[in-house]
Amino acid sequence: MTFFRQTGAIFWKDLLTEYRTKDSLTSMLMFGLLVILMFHFAFEPDSLETERYGPGLLWMTFIFAGILGMNRAFASERENDSLQALKLAPVSWGAIYLGKMLANLLFMLLAEAVMLACFTVFFNFDLIPRLGWMSAIVLLGTLGFASVGTILAAVSMNTRMNDVMLPVLLLPIALPVVIGAVESTSAIFTDPPGEALGFWVKFLVVFNIVFVTLPLLLFEYVLEE
Amino acid sequence: MKPLAWTTCAAMLLSLYGVFLFAPTEATMGEVQRIFYFHVSSAWVSFLGIFFVFVYSVRFLSKRDRELDTKALAAAEVGSVFATIVMITGPLWAKPVWGIWWTWDARLTSAFVLWLIYLGYLMLRRLVESPEQRARLSAVFGVLGAVDAPIVYMSNRWFRTQHPSPVIAGGEGSGLNTEMRMVLYFTFLALVLLFVYLWRMRYELEHAQEDLESLQRQARLQEAL
């Protein structure tokens, strides 16, 4: 089996389990909706304030919902004690990482699409004309977050208090993603788009190149026994 | 060990002389500016610490020598002390000069994030039971954290920079008077020596502890026989 077929197999396995349990997606979505509700009562924002704080809040919601999802990344393996079996499977461990990462990425993107729609409805985000840029930024930001998140989920899986450990390890590392994503999202909400847009999108691309390659190289050390 | 201890001691005394007696008083900030020498040098040393963590983590992953893991641990512990010094001296200097304890300035924020990465690393080590696994997982996080630290620094520097541009390696119009620069570099050198000294002390302590444990085990075994 080639590396990509292996990755695809792992990806498909996670997709299927998620389709049957819907654990990650429901938890992320419920969390997102609750944040939107809290946001309204915490700030009671008018349209100007929504424009000012919206991008930041949007990414806060994505990130914290993402942590919920990441905490579930290796949950089925841990709960069913099947990590050993996964490691024994005739696939390269890089493929396990990549498959899992892509599955996490897809779950996060699905949840984010719904959250973004809710933001548009509840806070009158003028999203439609900016949909192209917005999708690109969400994809880039989420990719960076998911790639670091997946390897750190595997690291924190082996610790006591693993659900606390994940945000402690992940959030400082993922900070540049948050900065890049929030800055570029803010840039598309001004009319015409701010000059910073191109710069921060490139920044996200560079971050992704580094932080997708590095976990691919390091993941085998995490799984090893 | 002895010569290093004495050199460090002499360098520290000399840098105290430089900071308090030799360096001229800064025109606008006055005496309080003298904290700058320790503050900036400690910040550089804390970056040196994470660099040590990176080097020994990578070497540990390739060679699997426990010795290297101990060195990475020692670098993280001593580095975190310097990062803490930065976090304490920063607000102490900021309050009289800027009138506020804290501002989300690029360098302050990156020092803060570096400090959090150190804490995450040390916390991770405490929460993994088996020594072999602890060494591997913390090395993986050490590499990720160390690669992230300069990215965090750069992203913060580009993030809506509203504060004075860096004095060292800033742009045009920045710079220090020659005596101040001499004192700064010398203080940095003294703190590097201190860092190396403490680092060596720390990993020798770890060795002593391991030796003690194995002796205790032997003693217990003999008692049982």
Side-chain angles (χ1 to χ4, degrees), chain B residues 46-197:
Chain B
S46 67
F47 271 97
L48 183 73
I50 201 82
F51 179 70
F52 268 55
V53 173
F54 175 76
V55 170
Y56 286 106
S57 297
V58 170
R59 288 186 57 196
F60 170 78
L61 288 178
S62 71
K63 296 221 171 71
R64 298 312 166 93
D65 183 356
R66 280 290 300 283
E67 173 79 19
L68 295 165
D69 174 57
T70 312
K71 285 183 176 171
L73 159 72
E77 278 189 4
V78 180
S80 72
V81 171
F82 281 95
T84 311
I85 293 176
V86 179
M87 295 305 295
I88 294 170
T89 50
L92 279 182
W93 182 23
K95 184 65 181 170
V97 172
W98 291 335
I100 41 176
W101 292 112
W102 181 265
T103 166
W104 291 98
D105 161 73
R107 278 141 289 155
L108 270 75
T109 314
S110 10
F112 183 42
V113 176
L114 182 63
W115 187 68
L116 289 174
I117 290 176
Y118 271 129
L119 290 194
Y121 179 90
L122 294 175
M123 201 170 151
L124 176 65
R125 295 195 71 103
R126 294 185 64 94
L127 292 176
V128 184
E129 308 282 350
S130 104
E132 189 275 333
Q133 199 177 35
R134 181 190 311 138
R136 246 184 319 109
L137 294 179
S138 54
V140 167
F141 183 70
V143 172
L144 287 172
V147 171
D148 197 52
I151 300 182
V152 168
Y153 177 75
M154 290 322 285
S155 60
N156 271 292
R157 201 158 150 175
W158 292 321
F159 175 79
R160 298 194 201 124
T161 357
Q162 50 200 353
H163 290 279
S165 65
V167 174
I168 309 292
E172 275 175 49
S174 71
L176 280 175
N177 122 345
T178 325
E179 276 131 45
M180 286 178 163
R181 189 172 320 140
M182 272 167 61
V183 173
L184 175 65
Y185 291 159
F186 190 79
T187 310
F188 175 56
L189 184 75
L191 290 190
V192 168
L193 286 173
L194 182 65
F195 171 84
V196 174
Y197 177 67

Side-chain angles (χ1 to χ4, degrees), chain A residues 176-193:
Chain A
V177 179
V178 180
I179 295 178
V182 170
E183 287 295 282
S184 42
T185 310
S186 304
I188 60 169
F189 273 94
T190 53
D191 209 18

Side-chain angles (χ1 to χ4, degrees), chain A residues 13-133:
Chain A
K13 168 194 90 68
D14 273 16
L15 232 56
L16 211 60
T17 7
E18 180 61 26
Y19 175 72
R20 287 177 185 156
T21 62
K22 301 180 187 67
D23 280 352
S24 297
L25 271 178
T26 18
S27 53
M28 283 195 275
L29 277 177
M30 279 309 292
F31 180 80
L33 289 178
L34 290 170
V35 170
I36 290 173
L37 181 74
M38 295 299 150
F39 179 50
H40 169 72
F41 288 106
F43 299 106
E44 227 181 316
D46 57 32
S47 66
L48 211 69
E49 283 163 344
T50 306
E51 200 166 289
R52 172 89 177 76
Y53 300 117
L57 186 85
L58 194 66
W59 280 98
M60 289 282 277
T61 318
F62 288 179
I63 295 299
F64 284 107
I67 284 182
L68 284 185
M70 292 296 158
N71 258 332
R72 307 286 314 163
F74 288 90
S76 69
E77 276 81 6
R78 208 178 49 236
E79 282 158 14
N80 306 318
D81 229 347
S82 59
L83 193 67
Q84 206 67 34
L86 189 64
K87 285 195 278 193
L88 286 173
V91 295
S92 95
W93 287 356
I96 297 183
Y97 166 76
L98 207 60
K100 283 221 162 265
M101 192 274 273
L102 290 174
N104 287 331
L105 175 68
L106 183 69
F107 303 151
M108 273 188 79
L109 286 175
L110 287 174
E112 285 166 352
V114 179
M115 287 183 235
L116 202 55
C118 294
F119 262 83
T120 313
V121 173
F122 287 122
F123 297 114
N124 294 311
F125 259 29
D126 199 6
L127 193 68
I128 311 296
R130 304 178 170 89
L131 204 58
W133 271 117

